[in-house]
């Protein structure tokens, strides 16, 4: 009888199960976001394109192909944040007066930062303003490097116009947008983009909290080597765009030295070729390619190296010029208020309204009463739903048709339009719809 074959290649258990578990845990902790436009196409083409650009900037851990509907509510998205692992919501809206607003909410319990978008530029506008724009390409497969400047003020206290706790809260929320980076283990090739957040210094008249957002791509080139020789470097050819020619045309030259050594090089060079437009120069370890040896070749190499004393291998260090190329979009955000929950709850800070200690105590008491009433409503709704289910089950068992009754809708759902302007618009639309329905019923009676 033949021996049964044992599959070792496909049925082999992982040697380090702890590493696999750790990677799964790290994937679960990776922050994910949703960039949503409120009101779907009603916000206009410019805000719609801005939402697409912000989604592109937040890649890869964001919902790029998310499609909104006019009838969607906030609860439609917050219900799915848990199963999908979404940690942040960025909500873009447009008020009746034409102001563009952005809300940054941390799920599932908040808080929420309300920003007014004072100025913004789309990616296509940034590309048009540049002489040599650069498309993202493969850079969006890894999250950007977050750089924050001037987020905390040295002399800030709890009694300041912008209290110290607000600065700490804002810093923590923006830091949690992207996964943390370990400089010792993070490969340099994975850092290809930079998202810069700069807090503008407060003016003398007003202590507003204003942030400026920029998005850049990191471009590197070798220094100390002429452009003509760089064109022949295999590494540069590998990273170059496929549309461009990999090797220059030397048909009109008699010798390759005329191309490499001649400054004019038969029209292949320019006066600006020797000057590198860079932001900084750094020294990095030279990237080298090595052949992967199988088990037999490794044994032969070890046996050959036993009797020989090899000098210590020195890793090559090369100088590279670093340049930041802006990708867009640009945003200028002004913090208006901070709420305790997800687009709801107690107002923790407001840019224009300040309250005394007595008013704060009264507000806390009113919110405590609201929470108790909310819990009572939830218990009552749950009891009503269970009672109706039992009545329907009894009716089906006795053979009688159960009357179709709509279940109690939760009274705690909040509409998208949390601002006063949006609420007024919604009421106006509801009144217009009621008038239309009454007019239609009158016409049908006359017929």
């Amino acid at each position: 009888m033949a021996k049964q074959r044992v599959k070792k290649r496909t049925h082999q258990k992982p040697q380090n199960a702890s590493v696999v578990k750790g990677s799964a845990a790290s994937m679960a902790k990776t922050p994910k976001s949703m960039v949503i436009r409120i009101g779907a196409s009603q916000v206009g083409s410019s805000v719609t394109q801005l939402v697409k650009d912000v989604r592109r900037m937040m890649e890869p851990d964001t919902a790029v192909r998310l499609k909104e509907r006019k009838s969607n509510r906030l609860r439609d998205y917050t219900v799915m944040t848990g199963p999908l692992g979404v940690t942040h919501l960025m909500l873009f809206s447009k008020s009746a007066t034409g102001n563009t607003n952005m809300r940054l909410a941390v799920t599932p319990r908040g808080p929420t930062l309300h920003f007014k978008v004072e100025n913004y530029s789309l990616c296509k506008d940034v590309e048009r303003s540049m002489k040599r724009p650069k498309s993202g390409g493969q850079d969006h497969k890894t999250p950007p490097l977050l750089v924050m400047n001037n987020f905390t003020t040295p002399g800030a206290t709890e009694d300041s116009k912008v209290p110290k706790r607000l600065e700490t809260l804002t810093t923590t929320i923006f830091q949690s947008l992207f996964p943390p980076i370990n400089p010792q283990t993070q490969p340099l090739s994975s850092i290809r983009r930079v998202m810069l957040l700069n807090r503008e210094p407060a003016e003398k008249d007003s202590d507003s909290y204003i942030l400026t957002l920029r998005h850049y791509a990191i471009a590197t080139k070798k220094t100390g080597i002429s452009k003509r020789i760089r064109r022949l470097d295999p590494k540069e050819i590998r990273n170059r765009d496929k549309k461009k020619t990999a090797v220059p045309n030397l048909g009109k030259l008699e010798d390759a030295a005329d191309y490499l050594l001649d400054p004019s090089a038969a029209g292949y060079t320019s006066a600006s070729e020797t000057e590198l437009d860079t932001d900084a120069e750094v020294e990095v370890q030279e990237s080298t390619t090595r052949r992967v040896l199988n088990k037999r070749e490794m044994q032969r190499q070890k046996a050959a190296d036993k009797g020989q004393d090899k000098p210590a291998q020195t890793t090559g260090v090369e100088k590279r010029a670093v340049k930041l190329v802006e990708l867009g979009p640009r945003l200028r955000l002004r913090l208006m208020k901070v709420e305790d929950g997800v687009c709801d709850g107690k107002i923790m800070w407001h840019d224009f309204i300040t309250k005394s200690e007595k008013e704060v105590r009264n507000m806390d008491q009113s919110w405590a009463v609201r929470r108790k009433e909310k819990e009572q409503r939830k218990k009552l709704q749950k009891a009503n739903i269970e009672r109706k289910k039992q009545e329907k089950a009894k009716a089906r068992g006795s053979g009688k048709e159960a009357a179709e009754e709509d279940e109690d809708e939760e009274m705690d759902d909040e509409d998208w339009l949390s601002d006063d302007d949006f609420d007024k618009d919604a009421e106006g639309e509801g009144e217009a719809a009621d008038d239309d329905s009454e007019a239609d019923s009158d016409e049908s009676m006359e017929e």
Side-chain angles (χ1 to χ4, degrees):
M1 184 176 179
K3 185 179 179 181
Q4 186 178 2
R5 176 173 174 260
V6 179
K7 294 184 177 180
K8 297 181 180 180
R9 182 167 55 87
T10 58
H11 290 71
Q12 189 174 6
K13 294 182 179 180
Q15 298 178 357
N16 47 357
S18 61
V19 177
V20 177
K21 290 181 181 179
S23 61
S26 62
M27 288 295 292
K29 294 180 181 178
T30 302
K32 298 180 182 179
S33 60
M34 278 186 181
V35 184
I36 306 166
R37 54 174 183 168
I38 300 174
S41 59
Q42 291 184 344
V43 297
S45 58
S46 298
V47 179
T48 301
Q49 186 61 39
L50 176 63
V51 170
K52 293 180 180 179
D53 294 343
V54 174
R55 287 177 183 172
R56 183 75 170 164
M57 179 182 64
M58 299 296 293
E59 284 188 11
D61 300 319
T62 189
V64 183
R65 299 182 181 179
L66 180 64
K67 294 184 179 179
E68 310 91 343
R69 293 181 180 178
K70 183 181 176 182
S71 59
N72 285 136
R73 293 184 176 184
L74 177 61
R75 187 171 179 81
D76 299 336
Y77 296 95
T78 54
V79 167
M80 296 306 298
T81 54
L84 297 178
V86 177
T87 57
H88 296 79
L89 294 177
M90 299 180 70
L91 313 173
F92 284 87
S93 62
K94 197 170 185 179
S95 63
T97 56
N99 295 328
T100 305
N101 303 316
M102 188 194 81
R103 286 177 280 178
L104 178 59
V106 181
T107 59
R109 295 181 179 86
T112 304
L113 304 179
H114 290 250
F115 291 98
K116 177 184 176 182
V117 184
E118 294 187 343
N119 297 317
Y120 67 90
S121 299
L122 303 177
C123 291
K124 59 181 181 181
D125 300 329
V126 175
E127 292 179 358
R128 289 172 184 171
S129 63
M130 299 177 63
K131 185 177 180 181
R132 296 176 181 176
K134 178 182 179 181
S135 59
Q138 303 294 328
D139 298 342
H140 294 275
K141 289 187 176 181
T142 56
L145 176 67
L146 181 63
V147 179
M148 297 187 295
N149 180 44
N150 199 23
F151 263 60
T152 58
T153 308
T157 60
E158 296 298 330
D159 299 332
S160 303
K161 179 65 171 64
V162 180
K164 187 176 181 180
R165 64 177 182 274
L166 176 64
E167 296 178 346
T168 306
L169 177 64
T170 310
T171 305
T172 305
I173 291 176
F174 278 105
Q175 281 179 346
S176 61
L177 278 174
F178 303 104
I181 293 177
N182 188 358
Q184 298 177 354
T185 59
Q186 188 80 12
L188 293 176
S189 59
S190 63
I191 304 175
R192 299 183 177 182
R193 293 182 294 138
V194 174
M195 193 176 91
L196 176 61
L197 284 170
N198 178 44
R199 179 187 171 188
E200 296 184 0
E203 299 178 357
K204 295 182 180 180
D205 299 337
S206 62
D207 295 335
S208 300
Y209 198 95
I210 299 176
L211 299 178
T212 305
L213 186 146
R214 296 287 187 272
H215 183 215
Y216 298 94
I218 302 175
T220 60
K221 287 184 179 181
K222 282 186 177 181
T223 59
I225 302 175
S226 62
K227 189 175 181 180
R228 298 183 293 277
I229 299 178
R230 275 205 312 269
R231 287 178 180 173
L232 303 177
D233 190 357
K235 298 176 185 177
E236 298 291 337
I237 294 173
R238 196 184 306 120
N239 298 330
R240 194 179 301 167
D241 192 0
K242 294 182 180 180
K243 296 181 180 179
K244 299 180 181 179
T245 57
V247 179
N249 185 13
L250 305 179
K252 297 181 180 180
L253 301 178
E254 297 181 359
D255 192 0
D258 297 338
Y259 172 75
L260 297 175
L261 302 177
D262 187 11
S264 59
Y268 284 100
T269 60
S270 61
S272 62
E273 188 174 311
T274 57
E275 299 179 1
L276 290 174
D277 185 14
T278 62
D279 295 329
E281 292 185 6
V282 294
E283 293 183 356
V284 296
Q285 186 176 358
E286 186 177 3
S287 57
T288 57
T289 57
R290 298 180 181 179
R291 180 188 173 189
V292 179
L293 304 178
N294 55 23
K295 188 175 181 180
R296 184 175 297 177
E297 292 176 346
M298 289 179 65
Q299 291 177 355
R300 291 178 181 175
Q301 186 176 3
K302 287 181 180 179
D305 295 343
K306 280 184 180 179
Q308 299 178 1
D309 295 336
K310 279 192 170 183
Q313 295 182 357
T314 58
T315 57
V317 177
E318 60 181 3
K319 288 186 178 181
R320 298 191 73 89
V322 181
K323 181 175 176 57
L324 298 180
V325 182
E326 189 170 3
L327 298 175
R330 298 179 183 176
L331 291 171
R332 191 173 188 269
L333 307 173
R334 179 174 181 174
L335 184 61
M336 305 299 292
K337 65 178 180 179
V338 181
E339 288 182 336
D340 192 11
V342 180
C343 301
D344 189 14
K346 181 178 67 175
I347 297 178
M348 304 169 61
W349 180 84
H350 203 286
D351 190 17
F352 301 109
I353 302 174
T354 56
K355 294 187 176 182
S356 61
E357 295 182 358
K358 185 178 180 180
E359 292 175 343
V360 171
R361 285 196 299 268
N362 295 335
M363 185 178 62
D364 293 340
Q365 293 176 1
S366 63
W367 274 106
V369 173
R370 288 187 187 181
R371 292 191 191 97
K372 290 181 181 179
E373 293 177 353
K374 185 176 180 181
E375 292 176 359
Q376 293 176 359
R377 286 198 304 268
K378 283 186 176 181
K379 290 180 181 179
L380 181 61
Q381 291 164 7
K382 190 175 181 180
N384 291 337
I385 292 172
E386 293 296 334
R387 177 178 55 81
K388 290 181 180 180
K389 286 182 179 179
Q390 293 176 2
E391 291 177 356
K392 287 183 179 180
K394 290 180 181 179
R396 289 172 187 168
S398 59
K400 298 179 181 180
E401 294 182 357
E404 295 182 358
E405 296 179 357
D406 296 333
E407 296 181 352
D408 295 340
E409 295 183 357
E410 293 192 6
M411 299 171 63
D412 303 318
D413 291 349
E414 295 292 340
D415 292 337
W416 278 114
L417 311 177
S418 61
D419 299 336
D420 296 335
D421 297 337
F422 293 113
D423 291 336
K424 292 179 182 178
D425 295 342
E427 291 176 1
E429 292 176 2
E431 293 174 0
D434 295 338
D435 296 341
D436 295 341
S437 62
E438 291 176 2
D440 294 341
S441 62
D442 295 340
E443 291 178 0
S444 61
M445 292 295 291
E446 291 176 1
E447 292 177 358

